[in-house]
Amino acid sequence: MRRRDFFAVAGSGLFVFFKADLDAFQEPARFPGRQAGPTDFNAYLRIGADGRVTCLVGKVELGQGSMTALAQLLAEELDVPFDSVDMVMGDTDLCPYDMGTFGSMCIRMLGPVVRAAGAEARAVLIQMAAEQFKAPPERLQEKAGVITDPLAPDKRVTYAQLVEGKRIERHIPNVPVKPVAAFTVIGKSPRRKDALEKVTGKAEYAGDIALPGMLHARILRPPAHGATLKSVDTTAAEKLPGVRVVREGDLIAVLHERPDMAEQALGLFKAQFDRPHTGLDDKTIFDHLLQTAPKPQVVGNGGDVVGGEQLSKTIVDETYLNSYVAHASMETHTAVASIENGKATVWASTQAPFSVKSAVAQALGIEPENVHIVTPYVGGGFGGKSGAPQAVEAARLAKAAGKPVQVVWDRAEEFFFDTFRPAAVVKIRSGITAAGKIAFWDAKVYAAGEREAAPFYDIPNHHTESAGGWQGGNPAGMHPFAIGPWRAPSANTNTFARESHIDILAAKAGVDPLQFRLNHLTDPRMRRALETVAKQFAWKPAAKTPSGRGVGVACNIYSNVYVATMAELAVSKTTGKVQVKRVVTALDAGVIVNPDGLRQQMEGCITMGLGYCLTEEVRFKDGEVLDRNFDTYQLPRFSWLPKIETIIIDNPGLAAQGCGEPPITTMGAVIANAIYDAAGARVLQLPMTPARILEAIKKG
Amino acid sequence: MQRTISFTLNGKPARVTTDDERMLLWVLRSDLGLTGTKFGCGEGLCGACTVVVDQQAVRSCSVPLKDIAGKRVVTIEGLANGDNLHPIQEAFLKHHAFQCGYCTSGMLLNAYALLLKTPRPTRAEILQHMEDNLCRCGAHVRIVEAIQEAAGAPKGGAL
C-alpha cells in the first residue's frame, strides 16, 4: 500500500494494542547509550474494512527482504493470505518506535513482536465473533480471515465484517504463537513484496520524491577531513539564472530547481581551505592505531596462557591487518525535507528513521513530535546509513530557503563522509603441542572491536583483549575520519585473523585444516556446519599443505548463527590475480522464515565479501579521501562471480535468527586460506591485492 | 546552448527546451519526472543510469541531451507494455534478481540491450556485457540466471 492511500483509510479498522515486554527484544549491551525500547502499548497491525491487513513496523526495506519476511510472520499468526498483507515501514508517524534496521535484528528481534501481535489480534477477533454468535470462542473455527461456528452453519463472519466502521481496543494476554509444525506461510518463499515495483522502476527512493517548488542542493565540502574554510567567493555562481546561494551556519549551499544546474553552479565557487598535514595515510595508519588505541578490555579469558606457552612445541606469532572499507551503497545518502507551519517532513534514505527524527528536531530547534520521517525504499545500507546527516542538511536548508529541499550526495561525498569499517590490527600469538593440539591463544585486537574476537575453539589456555571499538568511544584522532558499523561489525576482521591463524597452526601441525578445526570443536552446531559444507564441497584431506588445489575453509559464529564456508580458487603466480571458482556456505540459523530470502542474503554476502577480500580499501592522505568513485574503488563485478552454493541447515528447534550479516564474516579467511593452499603464500592483510599476493609468494 | 530537443521517449514523441549540454539523466529525472532511471556515480562507472538509445545501452549521466536529438530512448518506464512485463522483467521478477533494487533499472536496460543485439547470449557474453553494471547487494548470480531465462523466452513487450 502506498503511504498516501494509507492516510486515506486511516481512522477505520481494527487497531490491536498489545503490551509486549520489548526490553526482552532489545540488546542494550550491544548498543550502550542507545534509547531503550518502548514499554507502552504499540500498534503493529491494522485490519481494513476492505479486509486488507496493514503491518506497521519501524524497520526499513534496504533490500534485505524484511518487507516480505515480516509480512509472512504476520500472515502466519493472524491467519490471513500473505497477499492480503501490506507493509508500512520506517514511517515515524505511523509506525511504532524502532531502534534501527541493523544487526540482523528484523527477524530475530522484531519477528517475535510481530508474531505476538498477529496471534493476539486473531484471538481478539475470534472473541468478537463469539460474542456476535453468542457461542463460546473455543468452539469457533477460523480460516483465512473467516470465522465460522461448526454447530451453526449460518454463522459466518470475516475479519473485515467484524471490524468495519469500528475502532476497538482490546487486550488478551499470553496468546500463544503457532508451533513450527503448524506453519503454512513461514518457511515458504512467496514473491517479494517489493518485486513488481523494483522491476518496473516504480519503487520510490528518497531521491524520487518531488515536491512542488522543491529545490536541489549542492553543498560546499572541504577537500580533506580537518580542513577549514578560509574564504569563498560565490559571485560567479550567483550570476547563473535560477541559482540561490544559502549560508546556514557551517552549510554553504547552492539551490536550484534542477540538480545538475545546482552542481554546475557549485563548480563556480572559488573556495580556499587550510588543509591539515597529519602525515597519516593508508600505509602509516596501522602504527598509528597501535599508538592511539585506548586501554584494552579483556573480552575472553580461560586457563593460563603462560603455562600453555610452556606446553607448546611450536609457537606462531602473526599480525593481521585490514584497511578502511567503504559501504558504497548504490544509492548515495539522499533526503527531501519540507517544512510547513513549524512541522517538518523528511523523506530520507536511512536505516534508523527514529534517530533521524531526533536529529532533525534538534537541528531545527523544534519538538520531535513536529518531525515526521518517511523512509521510502532504501538503496542499500550495510550499516552506512545508520545515521542520516543528509536529512539534517536537507532540513536546515529547507528552513533557510523556505522551500522544500532535496539533498543527494554525489559519489565523492559518499566516500568522503562514509563511516568506514575501521582499519584494524589483530595480533595473535599461539602454540601447538607435540600432539598437534592448540596449547594457548593470546590475541590482541586493535580498532576492529570485540565481536567474535575471542576464539570459540576448545583451547585450554586463552586470553583475548580488544582495544577500541567499531563505533564511537575511541580517542580523538585515532581514526582520521568517521568509522561505524559495516555489515557484521568487528566480525569480518576478527574472523579473518582467527581463521587465518587456525590454518597456519594446522599447517604447522601437519593436519588437514578441516580436521584440525574439528579436533578443537565439541560444539555440535559448529561441527555439523563444517561437516555439512565439507560434504557438499566434497572436501578431501590434503596429503600435504599447501596442496596446490586452491581450496580453503573458514567458520564463524555470529549472533547465534553458525556459518561454515569453503572456497576453491586459482591464483596467477605471475600477476597475483585471483579467480574464485566456487564458494559453498552452510548456515545454521534456526527456523527459516523465507528460504529464498535467506539464500539471497547468503549469495549477497558471498559476492559482496569478495570485494573486501580482493580489492576494497580506502586510500587517503592527510585527511583527503583519495578514492572518490568506482574507477579506483573496485566493487565485485560480474566477471568475479564464482559458482555459489548455499546450504540451509535444518534446525527448527531454534527460533529464527538474523541472517543478513553472518555469511559475509567467513569470506576474508576462506579466501586467504584458499590462496595459501593455491600458491603457498600467506597473505596477512585485507584486501589481498595482486601486489600483496605477489609479495607473499616472494616471501614463500 | 538553450534549445528544443526532440526525440522519441518510450515510443512517444518528446520535446524538451533546455540547455542541450545537460545530461540526459537529469532531464529524464527532473524535467520529465521519469525517476525509474537512477543516479549512482555521475561518471558512467556504475550503470545505475543505463538507458537504451537507438538500441544501444548508454550511461544517461554522461550523455548530453544534444546527442539524443531525433533518437529513440527507452527507459525502465517503457520496457513493459501496459501491464504486460517485458520477458526480461518477468525473469528478474521470477528469480528475485535484485535486493535493494537501486541498480535494477540499469541492469534491466543493459540486459535488454544485450538481448536486442544477441538474442541467445552465452554465459560468457552475459558476464562481459554486464561487467560494468555494479550491484552492491550481490544479486549478480540471479541477474545472470534471469538473463539466461529471458534469452530462452519468446520475445514480447512493447519495444
Side-chain angles (χ1 to χ4, degrees):
Chain A
M1 179 189 295
R2 292 172 77 87
R3 212 181 54 82
R4 354 186 204 285
D5 301 336
F6 182 79
F7 278 128
V9 301
S12 66
L14 172 69
F15 292 73
V16 173
F17 289 81
F18 70 101
K19 186 169 174 58
D21 180 10
L22 289 185
D23 284 344
F25 303 116
Q26 302 286 347
E27 280 192 305
R30 280 176 57 174
F31 298 99
R34 249 181 226 280
Q35 185 184 334
T39 52
D40 58 343
F41 286 71
N42 287 281
Y44 283 84
L45 66 92
R46 183 172 302 182
I47 297 166
D50 59 356
R52 294 200 66 80
V53 176
T54 305
C55 178
L56 305 114
V57 292
K59 298 290 180 198
V60 306
E61 176 59 56
L62 305 155
Q64 84 282 32
S66 297
M67 175 177 269
T68 305
L70 292 169
Q72 286 179 262
L73 295 179
L74 183 61
E76 182 74 72
E77 296 296 343
L78 191 59
D79 206 358
V80 294
F82 168 76
D83 288 339
S84 73
V85 178
D86 299 310
M87 297 296 297
V88 173
M89 302 178 75
D91 183 308
T92 61
D93 274 10
L94 301 175
C95 305
Y97 171 81
D98 183 86
M99 185 164 59
T101 307
F102 35 61
S104 296
M105 292 194 284
C106 287
I107 299 305
R108 185 161 52 100
M109 298 290 164
L110 182 61
V113 179
V114 169
R115 286 184 68 192
E120 185 174 355
R122 181 172 176 274
V124 166
L125 289 156
I126 291 172
Q127 178 75 42
M128 288 165 66
E131 287 164 17
Q132 192 179 73
F133 295 172
K134 298 186 171 53
E138 306 77 46
R139 194 172 81 198
L140 303 189
Q141 291 180 348
E142 182 279 324
K143 194 164 189 257
V146 179
I147 301 169
T148 51
D149 181 350
L151 300 186
D154 59 322
K155 303 284 193 194
R156 180 185 183 280
V157 69
T158 65
Y159 286 176
Q161 287 165 339
L162 279 169
V163 302
E164 196 172 13
K166 284 185 268 177
R167 180 181 172 112
I168 300 163
E169 294 173 23
R170 290 197 184 198
H171 180 56
I172 300 178
N174 305 322
V175 177
V177 293
K178 285 187 188 174
V180 171
F183 289 163
T184 59
V185 187
I186 294 174
K188 299 284 196 299
S189 301
R191 174 170 288 176
R192 285 178 65 129
K193 289 273 180 201
D194 52 358
L196 189 59
E197 287 180 296
K198 286 182 175 175
V199 303
T200 53
K202 289 177 182 154
E204 214 165 54
Y205 300 81
D208 303 335
I209 304 294
L211 303 176
M214 184 177 81
L215 298 174
H216 295 264
R218 294 289 295 134
I219 301 167
L220 178 65
R221 304 296 192 185
H225 289 274
T228 50
L229 183 65
K230 275 169 66 183
S231 67
V232 59
D233 177 359
T234 61
T235 326
E238 286 176 86
K239 282 184 185 152
L240 287 183
V243 162
R244 275 180 74 182
V245 172
V246 173
R247 291 168 188 252
E248 206 288 301
D250 58 339
L251 285 180
I252 303 173
V254 174
L255 303 179
H256 194 282
E257 65 173 355
R258 302 285 176 230
D260 48 332
M261 302 303 277
E263 169 72 17
Q264 191 187 340
L266 181 69
L268 297 176
F269 276 22
K270 293 187 187 72
Q272 289 195 307
F273 289 86
D274 271 332
R275 298 178 58 152
H277 295 284
T278 61
L280 205 55
D281 62 29
D282 45 274
K283 293 181 185 64
T284 57
I285 186 67
F286 302 107
D287 281 340
H288 174 80
L289 291 174
L290 293 176
Q291 285 157 19
T292 55
K295 193 170 174 295
Q297 308 287 316
V298 176
V299 296
N301 194 39
D304 166 23
V305 168
V306 176
E309 187 157 348
Q310 286 161 1
L311 298 172
S312 300
K313 180 177 161 247
T314 308
I315 288 178
V316 177
D317 197 336
E318 284 295 2
T319 299
Y320 303 88
L321 307 176
N322 80 218
S323 303
Y324 292 100
V325 181
H327 295 89
S329 298
M330 296 317 296
E331 179 205 34
T332 60
H333 281 67
T334 301
V336 175
S338 170
I339 302 172
E340 277 179 44
N341 307 319
K343 296 196 173 191
T345 306
V346 181
W347 290 258
S349 57
T350 181
Q351 294 177 237
F354 287 86
S355 306
V356 177
K357 175 176 165 148
S358 310
V360 168
Q362 194 179 7
L364 296 180
I366 60 178
E367 293 301 315
E369 57 260 35
N370 291 326
V371 177
H372 177 197
I373 306 297
V374 184
T375 318
Y377 286 117
V378 180
F382 315 108
K385 290 172 180 164
S386 298
Q390 87 285 6
V392 172
E393 291 173 344
R396 288 171 61 192
L397 292 171
K399 186 182 175 186
K403 286 196 167 189
V405 168
Q406 180 174 106
V407 170
V408 180
W409 286 1
D410 72 8
R411 188 52 62 183
E413 289 172 296
E414 191 71 15
F415 275 105
F416 189 81
F417 291 112
D418 196 5
T419 52
F420 299 120
R421 182 172 111 188
V425 180
V426 180
K427 291 173 176 286
I428 303 174
R429 181 176 165 80
S430 69
I432 44 173
T433 64
K437 295 287 276 188
I438 304 174
F440 81 101
W441 182 281
D442 189 2
K444 291 186 173 62
V445 177
Y446 301 88
E450 78 297 344
R451 288 194 197 171
E452 322 310 328
F456 50 74
Y457 293 98
D458 300 332
I459 301 173
N461 309 297
H462 64 94
H463 183 84
T464 304
E465 292 182 352
S466 170
W470 51 268
Q471 62 165 9
N474 292 312
M478 180 171 156
H479 293 285
F481 24 57
I483 57 147
W486 193 100
R487 200 172 198 170
S490 305
N492 290 294
T493 306
N494 285 327
T495 305
F496 166 66
R498 182 191 64 243
E499 293 296 304
S500 294
H501 203 83
I502 289 284
D503 250 48
I504 297 173
L505 294 177
K508 294 279 185 198
V511 178
D512 172 73
L514 171 64
Q515 190 58 51
F516 187 78
R517 283 173 172 80
L518 292 171
N519 290 349
H520 293 87
L521 284 166
T522 47
D523 183 338
R525 289 181 69 196
M526 187 50 93
R527 291 187 66 90
R528 179 153 80 136
L530 280 166
E531 283 158 0
T532 302
V533 76
K535 188 174 172 207
Q536 173 75 18
F537 190 83
W539 179 273
K540 290 183 189 65
K544 66 172 183 64
T545 310
S547 73
R549 299 173 302 178
V551 297
V553 56
C555 54
N556 191 34
I557 306 166
Y558 185 85
S559 288
N560 203 21
V561 173
Y562 284 63
V563 53
T565 305
M566 289 184 168
E568 181 184 353
L569 53 75
V571 180
S572 161
K573 289 185 184 175
T574 50
T575 65
K577 196 172 162 8
V578 171
Q579 182 75 42
V580 182
K581 296 179 192 166
R582 185 179 177 215
V583 178
V584 184
T585 288
L587 199 77
D588 169 0
V591 166
I592 303 305
V593 178
N594 183 320
D596 187 62
L598 171 56
R599 289 189 198 282
Q600 290 172 54
Q601 288 307 298
M602 293 170 76
E603 293 159 8
C605 278
I606 290 165
T607 309
M608 182 182 185
L610 290 175
Y612 83 71
C613 287
L614 299 175
T615 53
E616 290 185 45
E617 63 183 315
V618 177
R619 267 71 56 102
F620 65 97
K621 187 172 172 47
D622 290 334
E624 182 178 353
V625 176
L626 302 175
D627 289 297
R628 301 185 186 94
N629 214 320
F630 299 123
D631 47 352
T632 60
Y633 193 90
Q634 285 286 326
L635 301 190
R637 289 169 181 269
F638 279 92
S639 63
W640 296 25
L641 205 57
K643 183 169 190 282
I644 294 174
E645 292 157 63
T646 54
I647 309 162
I648 300 171
I649 294 175
D650 188 43
N651 188 5
L654 176 70
Q657 304 295 310
C659 297
E661 298 173 298
I664 199 170
T665 61
T666 46
M667 289 305 294
V670 79
I671 298 302
N673 293 342
I675 289 172
Y676 173 75
D677 192 56
R682 176 55 62 181
V683 188
L684 301 167
Q685 180 171 3
L686 292 174
M688 297 173 281
T689 58
R692 289 185 186 127
I693 290 170
L694 289 176
E695 197 186 312
I697 289 172
K698 212 159 63 179
K699 267 193 202 163
Chain B
M1 188 175 73
Q2 193 80 11
R3 67 183 178 114
T4 299
I5 303 286
S6 299
F7 56 102
T8 305
L9 178 58
N10 296 327
K12 293 182 184 135
R15 281 160 66 86
V16 184
T17 303
T18 188
D19 176 354
D20 66 357
E21 298 284 347
R22 293 178 60 208
M23 298 303 166
L24 177 59
L25 171 66
W26 302 114
V27 175
L28 289 171
R29 287 184 57 80
S30 186
D31 300 41
L32 298 170
L34 295 184
T35 55
T37 305
K38 302 302 183 199
F39 163 78
C41 73
E43 296 178 19
L45 300 168
C46 79
C49 69
T50 304
V51 299
V52 171
V53 176
D54 282 357
Q55 312 227 334
Q56 298 285 325
V58 303
R59 302 296 167 88
S60 64
C61 75
S62 305
V63 175
L65 190 61
K66 65 181 182 186
D67 287 2
I68 64 144
K71 295 189 176 168
R72 288 165 297 143
V73 178
V74 181
T75 69
I76 186 66
E77 289 87 355
L79 213 48
N81 183 3
D83 287 339
N84 296 322
L85 298 183
H86 188 277
I88 189 69
Q89 290 173 302
E90 288 284 5
F92 269 57
L93 197 69
K94 178 178 165 190
H95 288 268
H96 283 152
F98 60 86
Q99 288 184 27
C100 82
Y102 197 80
C103 73
T104 308
S105 297
M107 291 287 179
L108 282 162
L109 269 292
N110 198 33
Y112 168 67
L114 168 66
L115 298 181
L116 287 176
K117 186 179 64 179
T118 314
R120 306 265 173 196
T122 62
R123 183 181 157 86
E125 285 170 328
I126 293 171
L127 296 181
Q128 189 186 12
H129 183 86
M130 300 301 290
E131 179 71 352
D132 292 335
N133 277 56
L134 303 179
C135 165
R136 187 51 157 170
C137 300
H140 302 70
V141 62
R142 286 162 186 262
I143 292 169
V144 174
E145 285 167 3
I147 296 171
Q148 286 174 319
E149 168 141 345
K155 297 297 252 179
L159 300 151

